[in-house]
Each structure stands twice: as C-alpha cells, then as structure tokens.
Amino acid sequence: MAASMASQAVAKGLRIATSKHILLDKAKCTWLSPRRWLNLQEYQSKKLMQESGVAVQRFYVADTASEALEAAKRLNAKEIVLKAQILAGGRGKGVFDSGLKGGVHLTKDPAVVGELANKMLGFNLTTKQTPKEGVKVKTVMVAEALDITRETYFAILMDRSFNGPVMVGSPQGGMDIEEVAASTPELIFKAADQIKRLYDLFLKVDATQVEVNPLGETPEGQVVCFDAKINFDDNAEFRQKNVFAMDDMTEADPTEMAAAKWDLKYIGLDGNIACFVNGAGLAMATCDIIDLHGGKPANFLDLGGGVKEKQVYEAFKLLTADPKVEAILVNIFGGIVNCAIIANGITKACRELELKVPLVVRLEGTNVHEAKRILTESGLPILAADDLDDAAKKAVAAIKK
Amino acid sequence: MILGHLGYRTVCSAKEALQHSGVRHCYTGTRKNLYIDKNTKVICQGFTGKQGTFHSQQSLDYGSQLVGGVSPGKGGKTHLGLPVFNSVKEAKQGTGADASVIYVPPPFAAAAIIEAIDAEIPLVVCITEGIPQQDMVKVKHKLLRQSATRLIGPNCPGVINPGECKIGIMPGHIHKKGRIGIVSRSGTLTYEAVHQTTQVGLGQSLCVGIGGDPFNGTNFIDCLEVFLQDPKTEGIILIGEIGGNAEENAAEYLKQHNSGDNSKPVVSFIAGLTAPPGRRMGHAGAIIAGGKGGAKEKIAALQSAGVVVSMSPAQLGSTMFKEFEKRKML
C-alpha cells in the first residue's frame, strides 16, 4: 500500500520530468571526447542535492580551523559532526599523520570542532581505500549531527533491462513498509517527496546513479538523506559544465588526467606492458590477451577513431614516461584510423623520446602497407607482429630477456 | 513493414508492447529490416558535415546505393553529386530511401534519430559516439512503441552485407561475401573477426555492429534471430564485452532456439576479463557495476548454451573453421 502511494508520487514526478523539452543550443559543436571518471566530494554532492530541495543535514565547508570553528558556532546545533573531505571511503577508521585518529568526529562543543579541524586540515588522512601515504585533507565539512532511528537504502539508476531509470529501495531493520504506512503514514509521504526530488536531481544533472545510504528517519520524524553517491554520465559533460567543473582532480591518477587533456581514453593498470590500441573492445581484448600469455598489462588505452598524429605522439610520450613500463605493444586495426598516421606518430615519438624499451607493433587495415614501410625504413628497433596472439607473445617474451 | 498505403498502421498499446517478460511485440517485427542488400537505398543525416562527407564518399566507392542526404538549411543543393534535403521526411519523399545513416554530433544526434523514426525510415544506423544516456532512454521509449523503424546503434560502426551494401565506417576491403553472420558490441573487434573469417575462406553474410552504449536500438538477440532464419548464414560469431546482461540474454535465447541437430555453430569472444571493476572501459556500456556484468559470467552463460568461446580474439576465424570441419560443413 505504501509502495503504491510512493510510486504514485514518483509516477507523477516521472510524467512531469518526461514532458520537459530540452532546448539545444545550435552553436557549432565539435565531437569532443568527454572527461572520464568524474568524482565529487561529499559536500559537492550534498550541495547539488540541496539545490534540488533534497533534505540533507545542514552543513558548511571550511578550509581553515578558524573557519571550522565559526561554522560550528553558526550551525547552532545540538551536536556537530566534523568530516574530512576526501574522495576515498573508510574515513571513520582512518588515521591522520598529525596523529589524530578518525576522519569523522562527533562533538557538542564548537571549540572542539576547531581543535580537531586543526589536526585534519593540511594533514594526510590514510584509510583502507587510500594509497599508503594517504590523501591531503584540504576541506572539512561541519554539519549538524542528527540521530537516525531507522535506516533505509534508496537508489535511482539507469538500468538496461528496464530501458531507463529504476528505483531501488530496501527497508532495514525488519520493519514492513506496510507497518510504517499504517502507523506513521506521513513519513511515507515525506519519503515520497524526497524520492521525487532525488529523481528531479537525477535527471537534472544527467546522473547514471544516485545512491542514498542511508535514507534515514530522525527521532523528530524528519526524512533525511545522510549520504549520497552520485555517478554522472560522461557523455553529458557538454551540457553539465557546472557539475564537471567541480571535478576534484587532485586525487586522480596524473597520467589519466594528462591523457584526458588529449582526448585519449586511458586507464592505468598495475602491469608492465603498455598498450596502445584503437577501439575500446580491441583495447580491452589486448589487455586480456597479454594476461592470457602470462604478461601483465600496464594500461588500457583507446585512441579512438578520429585520432590525429599529435595525439599518437602524446600518447606514446605518456606511455614511455611511465617508469613501470618495460615493453610497449601497439595494436592497431585501422578502419577510420589510417595506419600510416599511427606509423608516423610512433616513429616521430621514438626518435624524440629515445625509446628504451622493446616495442612490438601489429598493424592491420587501412593503408597498412604504407605504414609497414614507414616503420621498416625508420631503422628503429621495432618488432613486427602478424596478429594479436603473435604480438602478445612477443611483448611478453621481450620482457623476459 | 509499413502499411501506410492502406491508410493504417499497427499501433500497439504500451501494455501489449511490453509484457512482464520484456518481450516487445511491436518493435521486434522490425528485425527483418536489418538485412540490407544491393537494393537498399540509403540517405545520410549530417550529409554535408566532415564525417558525413568522408564516409558517404567511401560508401559510394564501395558501391552502396547512397541516394541523397539531409542537412537542415541546405535543401535544394547538391553534395557529392547527390540531392540534399532539409529534413528526413523530404528526403524520403524525394528518394524513396529505405535506410538512413546518422553522422550528427552528440548534442543533436538523439533528435536526428527521432526525426528518422517520425519519418518511418525502415532502418536507421546511428554512428555517433557520446550521446547522453538520458537522451537515448527517451529515444528507446519511443522506438519500442512503434513498428516501422529499426535502429542500430548508437556508437557503432554500422552494418554491412559484403559486396552488396555498406552502411557505416567499416573498411570494406577486408570483407568477403560468405557464410558467417557477425554481431558485435565492438567495432575494431568486428574487423578482427571479419579479417580472420575472410582469411580462412569462410567470408561473411551480414555483419552488424550493435555498438558500445548501454541504451541502444538493436541487441544480440535481434541479430541472432535474423541469422538463425537466414539460409545464407551457416555460422555465427558473437563478440561481447563487460557491462549489462545482453550476452546472458543471448545465451538464453540460443538455448531455446539453437539447440539440437539443426543448430548453427556459434563462436564467441568476450572482452574485458582483465578490466578493473567500476571503470568505464572506453565504451559507455562497458562497465562492471555493483558486481554485475563481468566477463567470466558472460563466458559461462554462453558456454552453457553450446557456444564455443575463444579466449583469444585472434582465434575466431580458426575456431569457426574447426567447427565447420567437425560438422563436415566445409
């Protein structure tokens, strides 16, 4: 019963949402490759939620201990929660290199907030999910602590089986949703209202997932979103400039960031054979086949279809700059991609960067004969391979030498 | 297909079109539109743009029947010796086109697809990579509730019937008319499969790139049905990757429709065994999310349906050749 009440509210929200007409700006538009892996801090996600009218704990952010103290006073709350803002999880059990234990603290005294913030800001917080040396904390969140009498789980996500957004809810503590509806029906309406606002947010920011854990009930009968994880559709970056501008890249892999600048899809892995491939499927398969032949891929790299010689050069530069790379495997099947462009980019890069590791090259497709000629005549120590199996075997063998 | 000349069109209510089991009555009827041939007339949306121009010329060089294109505001002009129209509707009226290929940038591509659906173009192929997921969810909502238009893609290389018709960006010269149907989420892996099946002498009957996006117009099952019913297709290569459950659904379908004595050999490769969870591996749809969508599970599902899964993408042609040998089909 409660589920249908909630779903009616949601359905109404859905109808309103789908009737919105997105007016497109017909300005000239180039085919930009979107940035990958947008990560927002907790306070940024909560700010987005606040802007959509979703109930979150009242909070301020602070970059200095005195700001934190002021914020704590301004909150005028019964109890305050101080949270270090880093992207990684496990903050509660983390340790600062200032000696302070725990990245999340509760206190009723604003002065304590100031003292604790002093031991957080500018120091590194190490948790189970951070690198060994931890992550520097530049911002803290000072929020009103609220008691949670009941925790539930709620998420909205784009689902392929349902061809669109689905809502997932999980009541906790063994309480029936019907029982809640019977004894405290107003809570259901409040939750439905929060759900509608979360759905509006989901659409507004082009999210692929909004996960609220927990969606909780306070002793005073408020429904509050205590934490949220929002995943964003990279393809929507062109119309979500404000959201993507919030991207905190300080915790990102520097190579991934540099690659994104050149519109290269690069993901760092932990092996020693660098991959240089056109096409996402072929790039994944190249990593797979290196592994199949006993090697370890150092990265995933998809050059894309319209790749230019400059990008080839920059990609090569990135790969060769990685100290853990002991061999490079180039695997190109040119459809749109002209193999000769790849060959020119590689030979130029090899000459300028003084290639020190074995280079295995497998080329096929558009203009392959011209490409092979360019590579042979370059005089560079390049191992040519016939197919993907051959290329992987040669790359693995080249390291063992 | 279209019963427009009788003045009526089968319209399904949302309830009829979508049952609990997810079977789509209306839209599945358009599967046959996938099988292009030398008579297929193609128009190009985004005709006068850089991509549109380059690939339209390639298409003409291959011998496809490109009959015109759409470029709003440039109607009445000529491009590559062919007429330009202001809208898909006008282009269809002016050329009798059966298919449209879309080379339109991401912010406007979904609208271009919808325009083609409204004009009831039987086959629409959208090459564009980078369309926002929300836009494609809305396109799909419309697509599933009509029965005139079949969409392939987006974010795909297109579809080719070797020697007869090429709609998309695949290199024509690696193809050879033959006996293997290929369906794939990855463009360049398709080229690998094509190259190998050409090398072993089997050739291809029809190659469909369904693309790497999570919300798209055509899935594995749509193509498998066409392949299983096509006498020219004697073997099938299915190329999948991490993310979603399209491969698992395909395995179920094959269990029901491709078992027993008359079954056609199916060879598969699934990319992404080494992909880290939670990351999008190039394709918007290639992500292991919430522990679901991994390559191992897909491989297991396909194997349980009698599919021969190759662990190497370089052995697709040889594996299919061996299957043909085993079944004395050579």
Side-chain angles (χ1 to χ4, degrees), chain A residues 204-237:
Chain A
K204 192 170 87 173
V205 299
D206 272 299
T208 52
Q209 178 171 287
V210 172
E211 184 186 47
V212 181
N213 191 19
L215 175 63
E217 172 193 341
T218 68
E220 292 80 24
Q222 268 186 290
V223 173
V224 175
C225 298
F226 281 86
D227 200 359
K229 181 140 180 23
I230 309 180
N231 291 348
F232 298 89
D233 180 6
D234 292 324
N235 285 353
E237 185 180 349

PDB file of all heavy atoms in Angstrom, chain A residues 204-237:
ATOM      1  N   LYS A 204      18.228  16.162 -13.685  1.00  0.00           N
ATOM      2  CA  LYS A 204      18.806  17.495 -13.890  1.00  0.00           C
ATOM      3  C   LYS A 204      20.312  17.436 -14.146  1.00  0.00           C
ATOM      4  O   LYS A 204      20.835  18.177 -14.961  1.00  0.00           O
ATOM      5  CB  LYS A 204      18.528  18.373 -12.661  1.00  0.00           C
ATOM      6  CG  LYS A 204      18.833  19.852 -12.876  1.00  0.00           C
ATOM      7  CD  LYS A 204      18.320  20.689 -11.739  1.00  0.00           C
ATOM      8  CE  LYS A 204      19.368  20.740 -10.640  1.00  0.00           C
ATOM      9  NZ  LYS A 204      18.999  21.690  -9.560  1.00  0.00           N
ATOM     10  N   VAL A 205      21.011  16.568 -13.425  1.00  0.00           N
ATOM     11  CA  VAL A 205      22.470  16.529 -13.557  1.00  0.00           C
ATOM     12  C   VAL A 205      22.941  15.408 -14.486  1.00  0.00           C
ATOM     13  O   VAL A 205      24.141  15.132 -14.548  1.00  0.00           O
ATOM     14  CB  VAL A 205      23.167  16.383 -12.176  1.00  0.00           C
ATOM     15  CG1 VAL A 205      22.829  17.561 -11.299  1.00  0.00           C
ATOM     16  CG2 VAL A 205      22.802  15.068 -11.504  1.00  0.00           C
ATOM     17  N   ASP A 206      21.997  14.751 -15.201  1.00  0.00           N
ATOM     18  CA  ASP A 206      22.364  13.632 -16.076  1.00  0.00           C
ATOM     19  C   ASP A 206      23.148  12.573 -15.293  1.00  0.00           C
ATOM     20  O   ASP A 206      24.266  12.195 -15.664  1.00  0.00           O
ATOM     21  CB  ASP A 206      23.225  14.104 -17.271  1.00  0.00           C
ATOM     22  CG  ASP A 206      22.384  14.544 -18.460  1.00  0.00           C
ATOM     23  OD1 ASP A 206      21.625  13.703 -18.986  1.00  0.00           O
ATOM     24  OD2 ASP A 206      22.480  15.730 -18.841  1.00  0.00           O
ATOM     25  N   ALA A 207      22.571  12.157 -14.169  1.00  0.00           N
ATOM     26  CA  ALA A 207      23.217  11.122 -13.367  1.00  0.00           C
ATOM     27  C   ALA A 207      22.942   9.757 -13.980  1.00  0.00           C
ATOM     28  O   ALA A 207      21.928   9.553 -14.636  1.00  0.00           O
ATOM     29  CB  ALA A 207      22.684  11.159 -11.933  1.00  0.00           C
ATOM     30  N   THR A 208      23.880   8.823 -13.771  1.00  0.00           N
ATOM     31  CA  THR A 208      23.582   7.442 -14.127  1.00  0.00           C
ATOM     32  C   THR A 208      23.176   6.685 -12.870  1.00  0.00           C
ATOM     33  O   THR A 208      22.593   5.617 -12.940  1.00  0.00           O
ATOM     34  CB  THR A 208      24.802   6.742 -14.765  1.00  0.00           C
ATOM     35  OG1 THR A 208      25.928   6.920 -13.908  1.00  0.00           O
ATOM     36  CG2 THR A 208      25.099   7.318 -16.128  1.00  0.00           C
ATOM     37  N   GLN A 209      23.511   7.263 -11.706  1.00  0.00           N
ATOM     38  CA  GLN A 209      23.088   6.644 -10.453  1.00  0.00           C
ATOM     39  C   GLN A 209      23.107   7.673  -9.324  1.00  0.00           C
ATOM     40  O   GLN A 209      24.042   8.464  -9.236  1.00  0.00           O
ATOM     41  CB  GLN A 209      24.014   5.479 -10.091  1.00  0.00           C
ATOM     42  CG  GLN A 209      23.649   4.808  -8.770  1.00  0.00           C
ATOM     43  CD  GLN A 209      24.425   3.530  -8.524  1.00  0.00           C
ATOM     44  OE1 GLN A 209      24.183   2.510  -9.156  1.00  0.00           O
ATOM     45  NE2 GLN A 209      25.360   3.586  -7.605  1.00  0.00           N
ATOM     46  N   VAL A 210      22.058   7.661  -8.500  1.00  0.00           N
ATOM     47  CA  VAL A 210      22.047   8.427  -7.253  1.00  0.00           C
ATOM     48  C   VAL A 210      21.747   7.413  -6.157  1.00  0.00           C
ATOM     49  O   VAL A 210      20.683   6.798  -6.158  1.00  0.00           O
ATOM     50  CB  VAL A 210      20.958   9.530  -7.256  1.00  0.00           C
ATOM     51  CG1 VAL A 210      20.843  10.159  -5.877  1.00  0.00           C
ATOM     52  CG2 VAL A 210      21.275  10.593  -8.285  1.00  0.00           C
ATOM     53  N   GLU A 211      22.713   7.218  -5.269  1.00  0.00           N
ATOM     54  CA  GLU A 211      22.552   6.189  -4.238  1.00  0.00           C
ATOM     55  C   GLU A 211      22.554   6.867  -2.875  1.00  0.00           C
ATOM     56  O   GLU A 211      23.528   7.545  -2.533  1.00  0.00           O
ATOM     57  CB  GLU A 211      23.701   5.190  -4.343  1.00  0.00           C
ATOM     58  CG  GLU A 211      23.588   4.012  -3.392  1.00  0.00           C
ATOM     59  CD  GLU A 211      24.821   3.115  -3.431  1.00  0.00           C
ATOM     60  OE1 GLU A 211      25.938   3.671  -3.377  1.00  0.00           O
ATOM     61  OE2 GLU A 211      24.666   1.885  -3.511  1.00  0.00           O
ATOM     62  N   VAL A 212      21.476   6.695  -2.111  1.00  0.00           N
ATOM     63  CA  VAL A 212      21.360   7.329  -0.799  1.00  0.00           C
ATOM     64  C   VAL A 212      21.456   6.251   0.271  1.00  0.00           C
ATOM     65  O   VAL A 212      20.602   5.379   0.363  1.00  0.00           O
ATOM     66  CB  VAL A 212      20.017   8.079  -0.657  1.00  0.00           C
ATOM     67  CG1 VAL A 212      19.938   8.755   0.703  1.00  0.00           C
ATOM     68  CG2 VAL A 212      19.866   9.102  -1.756  1.00  0.00           C
ATOM     69  N   ASN A 213      22.536   6.310   1.038  1.00  0.00           N
ATOM     70  CA  ASN A 213      22.740   5.277   2.029  1.00  0.00           C
ATOM     71  C   ASN A 213      23.395   5.831   3.285  1.00  0.00           C
ATOM     72  O   ASN A 213      24.608   6.061   3.273  1.00  0.00           O
ATOM     73  CB  ASN A 213      23.633   4.175   1.437  1.00  0.00           C
ATOM     74  CG  ASN A 213      23.677   2.947   2.294  1.00  0.00           C
ATOM     75  OD1 ASN A 213      22.800   2.739   3.135  1.00  0.00           O
ATOM     76  ND2 ASN A 213      24.695   2.126   2.113  1.00  0.00           N
ATOM     77  N   PRO A 214      22.664   6.115   4.347  1.00  0.00           N
ATOM     78  CA  PRO A 214      21.252   5.769   4.480  1.00  0.00           C
ATOM     79  C   PRO A 214      20.293   6.922   4.167  1.00  0.00           C
ATOM     80  O   PRO A 214      20.632   8.084   4.293  1.00  0.00           O
ATOM     81  CB  PRO A 214      21.156   5.452   5.984  1.00  0.00           C
ATOM     82  CG  PRO A 214      22.165   6.359   6.611  1.00  0.00           C
ATOM     83  CD  PRO A 214      23.283   6.519   5.603  1.00  0.00           C
ATOM     84  N   LEU A 215      19.084   6.539   3.736  1.00  0.00           N
ATOM     85  CA  LEU A 215      17.944   7.460   3.724  1.00  0.00           C
ATOM     86  C   LEU A 215      17.289   7.212   5.067  1.00  0.00           C
ATOM     87  O   LEU A 215      16.761   6.134   5.306  1.00  0.00           O
ATOM     88  CB  LEU A 215      17.014   7.132   2.557  1.00  0.00           C
ATOM     89  CG  LEU A 215      15.698   7.923   2.461  1.00  0.00           C
ATOM     90  CD1 LEU A 215      15.965   9.408   2.251  1.00  0.00           C
ATOM     91  CD2 LEU A 215      14.830   7.390   1.323  1.00  0.00           C
ATOM     92  N   GLY A 216      17.394   8.171   5.965  1.00  0.00           N
ATOM     93  CA  GLY A 216      17.036   7.858   7.350  1.00  0.00           C
ATOM     94  C   GLY A 216      15.909   8.675   7.925  1.00  0.00           C
ATOM     95  O   GLY A 216      15.535   9.733   7.414  1.00  0.00           O
ATOM     96  N   GLU A 217      15.371   8.148   9.012  1.00  0.00           N
ATOM     97  CA  GLU A 217      14.309   8.826   9.747  1.00  0.00           C
ATOM     98  C   GLU A 217      14.911   9.284  11.075  1.00  0.00           C
ATOM     99  O   GLU A 217      15.630   8.523  11.726  1.00  0.00           O
ATOM    100  CB  GLU A 217      13.181   7.823   9.984  1.00  0.00           C
ATOM    101  CG  GLU A 217      12.073   8.294  10.901  1.00  0.00           C
ATOM    102  CD  GLU A 217      11.167   7.142  11.338  1.00  0.00           C
ATOM    103  OE1 GLU A 217      11.176   6.091  10.667  1.00  0.00           O
ATOM    104  OE2 GLU A 217      10.471   7.287  12.353  1.00  0.00           O
ATOM    105  N   THR A 218      14.679  10.538  11.439  1.00  0.00           N
ATOM    106  CA  THR A 218      15.186  11.045  12.711  1.00  0.00           C
ATOM    107  C   THR A 218      14.119  10.871  13.790  1.00  0.00           C
ATOM    108  O   THR A 218      12.947  10.654  13.476  1.00  0.00           O
ATOM    109  CB  THR A 218      15.540  12.539  12.616  1.00  0.00           C
ATOM    110  OG1 THR A 218      14.324  13.290  12.447  1.00  0.00           O
ATOM    111  CG2 THR A 218      16.477  12.805  11.451  1.00  0.00           C
ATOM    112  N   PRO A 219      14.505  10.996  15.097  1.00  0.00           N
ATOM    113  CA  PRO A 219      13.507  10.870  16.175  1.00  0.00           C
ATOM    114  C   PRO A 219      12.401  11.915  16.039  1.00  0.00           C
ATOM    115  O   PRO A 219      11.277  11.704  16.474  1.00  0.00           O
ATOM    116  CB  PRO A 219      14.310  11.116  17.453  1.00  0.00           C
ATOM    117  CG  PRO A 219      15.733  10.883  17.080  1.00  0.00           C
ATOM    118  CD  PRO A 219      15.863  11.187  15.631  1.00  0.00           C
ATOM    119  N   GLU A 220      12.720  13.043  15.424  1.00  0.00           N
ATOM    120  CA  GLU A 220      11.726  14.104  15.268  1.00  0.00           C
ATOM    121  C   GLU A 220      10.806  13.862  14.084  1.00  0.00           C
ATOM    122  O   GLU A 220       9.934  14.673  13.782  1.00  0.00           O
ATOM    123  CB  GLU A 220      12.422  15.468  15.084  1.00  0.00           C
ATOM    124  CG  GLU A 220      13.167  15.961  16.336  1.00  0.00           C
ATOM    125  CD  GLU A 220      14.515  15.283  16.478  1.00  0.00           C
ATOM    126  OE1 GLU A 220      15.042  14.824  15.449  1.00  0.00           O
ATOM    127  OE2 GLU A 220      15.028  15.196  17.607  1.00  0.00           O
ATOM    128  N   GLY A 221      11.050  12.775  13.367  1.00  0.00           N
ATOM    129  CA  GLY A 221      10.162  12.446  12.252  1.00  0.00           C
ATOM    130  C   GLY A 221      10.559  13.071  10.930  1.00  0.00           C
ATOM    131  O   GLY A 221       9.763  13.181  10.001  1.00  0.00           O
ATOM    132  N   GLN A 222      11.811  13.494  10.828  1.00  0.00           N
ATOM    133  CA  GLN A 222      12.290  14.032   9.547  1.00  0.00           C
ATOM    134  C   GLN A 222      12.815  12.905   8.677  1.00  0.00           C
ATOM    135  O   GLN A 222      13.363  11.928   9.194  1.00  0.00           O
ATOM    136  CB  GLN A 222      13.496  14.946   9.800  1.00  0.00           C
ATOM    137  CG  GLN A 222      13.222  16.407   9.989  1.00  0.00           C
ATOM    138  CD  GLN A 222      14.574  17.127  10.078  1.00  0.00           C
ATOM    139  OE1 GLN A 222      15.309  16.976  11.051  1.00  0.00           O
ATOM    140  NE2 GLN A 222      14.898  17.873   9.055  1.00  0.00           N
ATOM    141  N   VAL A 223      12.680  13.045   7.374  1.00  0.00           N
ATOM    142  CA  VAL A 223      13.335  12.121   6.444  1.00  0.00           C
ATOM    143  C   VAL A 223      14.528  12.860   5.849  1.00  0.00           C
ATOM    144  O   VAL A 223      14.365  13.917   5.248  1.00  0.00           O
ATOM    145  CB  VAL A 223      12.374  11.687   5.319  1.00  0.00           C
ATOM    146  CG1 VAL A 223      13.111  10.867   4.272  1.00  0.00           C
ATOM    147  CG2 VAL A 223      11.220  10.874   5.899  1.00  0.00           C
ATOM    148  N   VAL A 224      15.718  12.296   6.086  1.00  0.00           N
ATOM    149  CA  VAL A 224      16.941  12.990   5.668  1.00  0.00           C
ATOM    150  C   VAL A 224      17.852  12.059   4.874  1.00  0.00           C
ATOM    151  O   VAL A 224      17.979  10.879   5.199  1.00  0.00           O
ATOM    152  CB  VAL A 224      17.711  13.498   6.918  1.00  0.00           C
ATOM    153  CG1 VAL A 224      19.049  14.109   6.528  1.00  0.00           C
ATOM    154  CG2 VAL A 224      16.860  14.492   7.687  1.00  0.00           C
ATOM    155  N   CYS A 225      18.483  12.609   3.839  1.00  0.00           N
ATOM    156  CA  CYS A 225      19.485  11.843   3.095  1.00  0.00           C
ATOM    157  C   CYS A 225      20.832  12.069   3.764  1.00  0.00           C
ATOM    158  O   CYS A 225      21.388  13.160   3.686  1.00  0.00           O
ATOM    159  CB  CYS A 225      19.550  12.314   1.644  1.00  0.00           C
ATOM    160  SG  CYS A 225      18.013  12.075   0.766  1.00  0.00           S
ATOM    161  N   PHE A 226      21.328  11.049   4.462  1.00  0.00           N
ATOM    162  CA  PHE A 226      22.536  11.232   5.244  1.00  0.00           C
ATOM    163  C   PHE A 226      23.809  11.152   4.410  1.00  0.00           C
ATOM    164  O   PHE A 226      24.827  11.699   4.776  1.00  0.00           O
ATOM    165  CB  PHE A 226      22.588  10.220   6.391  1.00  0.00           C
ATOM    166  CG  PHE A 226      21.722  10.628   7.535  1.00  0.00           C
ATOM    167  CD1 PHE A 226      20.377  10.296   7.560  1.00  0.00           C
ATOM    168  CD2 PHE A 226      22.232  11.385   8.570  1.00  0.00           C
ATOM    169  CE1 PHE A 226      19.552  10.703   8.601  1.00  0.00           C
ATOM    170  CE2 PHE A 226      21.417  11.801   9.621  1.00  0.00           C
ATOM    171  CZ  PHE A 226      20.084  11.462   9.637  1.00  0.00           C
ATOM    172  N   ASP A 227      23.773  10.442   3.330  1.00  0.00           N
ATOM    173  CA  ASP A 227      24.938  10.399   2.464  1.00  0.00           C
ATOM    174  C   ASP A 227      24.464  10.013   1.083  1.00  0.00           C
ATOM    175  O   ASP A 227      23.426   9.357   0.925  1.00  0.00           O
ATOM    176  CB  ASP A 227      25.973   9.385   2.970  1.00  0.00           C
ATOM    177  CG  ASP A 227      27.360   9.669   2.401  1.00  0.00           C
ATOM    178  OD1 ASP A 227      27.502  10.631   1.618  1.00  0.00           O
ATOM    179  OD2 ASP A 227      28.295   8.930   2.736  1.00  0.00           O
ATOM    180  N   ALA A 228      25.179  10.457   0.085  1.00  0.00           N
ATOM    181  CA  ALA A 228      24.776  10.094  -1.280  1.00  0.00           C
ATOM    182  C   ALA A 228      26.002   9.931  -2.152  1.00  0.00           C
ATOM    183  O   ALA A 228      26.983  10.646  -2.002  1.00  0.00           O
ATOM    184  CB  ALA A 228      23.874  11.166  -1.869  1.00  0.00           C
ATOM    185  N   LYS A 229      25.904   8.960  -3.037  1.00  0.00           N
ATOM    186  CA  LYS A 229      26.935   8.798  -4.047  1.00  0.00           C
ATOM    187  C   LYS A 229      26.262   9.036  -5.387  1.00  0.00           C
ATOM    188  O   LYS A 229      25.270   8.387  -5.730  1.00  0.00           O
ATOM    189  CB  LYS A 229      27.492   7.375  -3.972  1.00  0.00           C
ATOM    190  CG  LYS A 229      28.587   7.116  -4.961  1.00  0.00           C
ATOM    191  CD  LYS A 229      29.697   6.284  -4.377  1.00  0.00           C
ATOM    192  CE  LYS A 229      30.815   6.017  -5.366  1.00  0.00           C
ATOM    193  NZ  LYS A 229      30.967   6.930  -6.493  1.00  0.00           N
ATOM    194  N   ILE A 230      26.789   9.995  -6.135  1.00  0.00           N
ATOM    195  CA  ILE A 230      26.207  10.308  -7.440  1.00  0.00           C
ATOM    196  C   ILE A 230      27.211   9.952  -8.528  1.00  0.00           C
ATOM    197  O   ILE A 230      28.357  10.401  -8.487  1.00  0.00           O
ATOM    198  CB  ILE A 230      25.840  11.805  -7.549  1.00  0.00           C
ATOM    199  CG1 ILE A 230      24.999  12.246  -6.346  1.00  0.00           C
ATOM    200  CG2 ILE A 230      25.098  12.075  -8.851  1.00  0.00           C
ATOM    201  CD1 ILE A 230      24.601  13.715  -6.386  1.00  0.00           C
ATOM    202  N   ASN A 231      26.795   9.141  -9.484  1.00  0.00           N
ATOM    203  CA  ASN A 231      27.619   8.851 -10.670  1.00  0.00           C
ATOM    204  C   ASN A 231      27.044   9.631 -11.846  1.00  0.00           C
ATOM    205  O   ASN A 231      25.829   9.681 -12.014  1.00  0.00           O
ATOM    206  CB  ASN A 231      27.613   7.360 -10.989  1.00  0.00           C
ATOM    207  CG  ASN A 231      28.360   6.545  -9.944  1.00  0.00           C
ATOM    208  OD1 ASN A 231      29.068   7.099  -9.110  1.00  0.00           O
ATOM    209  ND2 ASN A 231      28.190   5.243  -9.976  1.00  0.00           N
ATOM    210  N   PHE A 232      27.930  10.196 -12.637  1.00  0.00           N
ATOM    211  CA  PHE A 232      27.482  11.071 -13.719  1.00  0.00           C
ATOM    212  C   PHE A 232      27.760  10.471 -15.086  1.00  0.00           C
ATOM    213  O   PHE A 232      28.719   9.758 -15.275  1.00  0.00           O
ATOM    214  CB  PHE A 232      28.180  12.429 -13.603  1.00  0.00           C
ATOM    215  CG  PHE A 232      27.872  13.162 -12.337  1.00  0.00           C
ATOM    216  CD1 PHE A 232      28.647  12.972 -11.207  1.00  0.00           C
ATOM    217  CD2 PHE A 232      26.792  14.036 -12.271  1.00  0.00           C
ATOM    218  CE1 PHE A 232      28.364  13.636 -10.025  1.00  0.00           C
ATOM    219  CE2 PHE A 232      26.502  14.705 -11.092  1.00  0.00           C
ATOM    220  CZ  PHE A 232      27.281  14.505  -9.970  1.00  0.00           C
ATOM    221  N   ASP A 233      26.901  10.800 -16.046  1.00  0.00           N
ATOM    222  CA  ASP A 233      27.069  10.351 -17.428  1.00  0.00           C
ATOM    223  C   ASP A 233      28.126  11.228 -18.085  1.00  0.00           C
ATOM    224  O   ASP A 233      27.892  12.414 -18.349  1.00  0.00           O
ATOM    225  CB  ASP A 233      25.715  10.480 -18.149  1.00  0.00           C
ATOM    226  CG  ASP A 233      25.792  10.029 -19.602  1.00  0.00           C
ATOM    227  OD1 ASP A 233      26.836   9.505 -20.046  1.00  0.00           O
ATOM    228  OD2 ASP A 233      24.777  10.215 -20.313  1.00  0.00           O
ATOM    229  N   ASP A 234      29.296  10.646 -18.368  1.00  0.00           N
ATOM    230  CA  ASP A 234      30.373  11.409 -19.020  1.00  0.00           C
ATOM    231  C   ASP A 234      29.907  12.015 -20.336  1.00  0.00           C
ATOM    232  O   ASP A 234      30.358  13.082 -20.740  1.00  0.00           O
ATOM    233  CB  ASP A 234      31.568  10.489 -19.307  1.00  0.00           C
ATOM    234  CG  ASP A 234      32.257  10.033 -18.029  1.00  0.00           C
ATOM    235  OD1 ASP A 234      32.325  10.840 -17.084  1.00  0.00           O
ATOM    236  OD2 ASP A 234      32.720   8.885 -17.979  1.00  0.00           O
ATOM    237  N   ASN A 235      29.008  11.303 -21.029  1.00  0.00           N
ATOM    238  CA  ASN A 235      28.547  11.801 -22.325  1.00  0.00           C
ATOM    239  C   ASN A 235      27.771  13.109 -22.206  1.00  0.00           C
ATOM    240  O   ASN A 235      27.530  13.782 -23.201  1.00  0.00           O
ATOM    241  CB  ASN A 235      27.658  10.757 -23.025  1.00  0.00           C
ATOM    242  CG  ASN A 235      28.468   9.606 -23.608  1.00  0.00           C
ATOM    243  OD1 ASN A 235      29.693   9.639 -23.619  1.00  0.00           O
ATOM    244  ND2 ASN A 235      27.783   8.587 -24.098  1.00  0.00           N
ATOM    245  N   ALA A 236      27.337  13.441 -21.002  1.00  0.00           N
ATOM    246  CA  ALA A 236      26.537  14.650 -20.844  1.00  0.00           C
ATOM    247  C   ALA A 236      27.375  15.849 -20.417  1.00  0.00           C
ATOM    248  O   ALA A 236      26.835  16.921 -20.148  1.00  0.00           O
ATOM    249  CB  ALA A 236      25.437  14.409 -19.816  1.00  0.00           C
ATOM    250  N   GLU A 237      28.702  15.681 -20.411  1.00  0.00           N
ATOM    251  CA  GLU A 237      29.558  16.759 -19.928  1.00  0.00           C
ATOM    252  C   GLU A 237      29.295  18.078 -20.667  1.00  0.00           C
ATOM    253  O   GLU A 237      29.311  19.149 -20.068  1.00  0.00           O
ATOM    254  CB  GLU A 237      31.038  16.380 -20.075  1.00  0.00           C
ATOM    255  CG  GLU A 237      31.960  17.425 -19.462  1.00  0.00           C
ATOM    256  CD  GLU A 237      33.429  17.077 -19.601  1.00  0.00           C
ATOM    257  OE1 GLU A 237      33.746  15.936 -19.989  1.00  0.00           O
ATOM    258  OE2 GLU A 237      34.268  17.960 -19.322  1.00  0.00           O
TER     259      GLU A 237
END
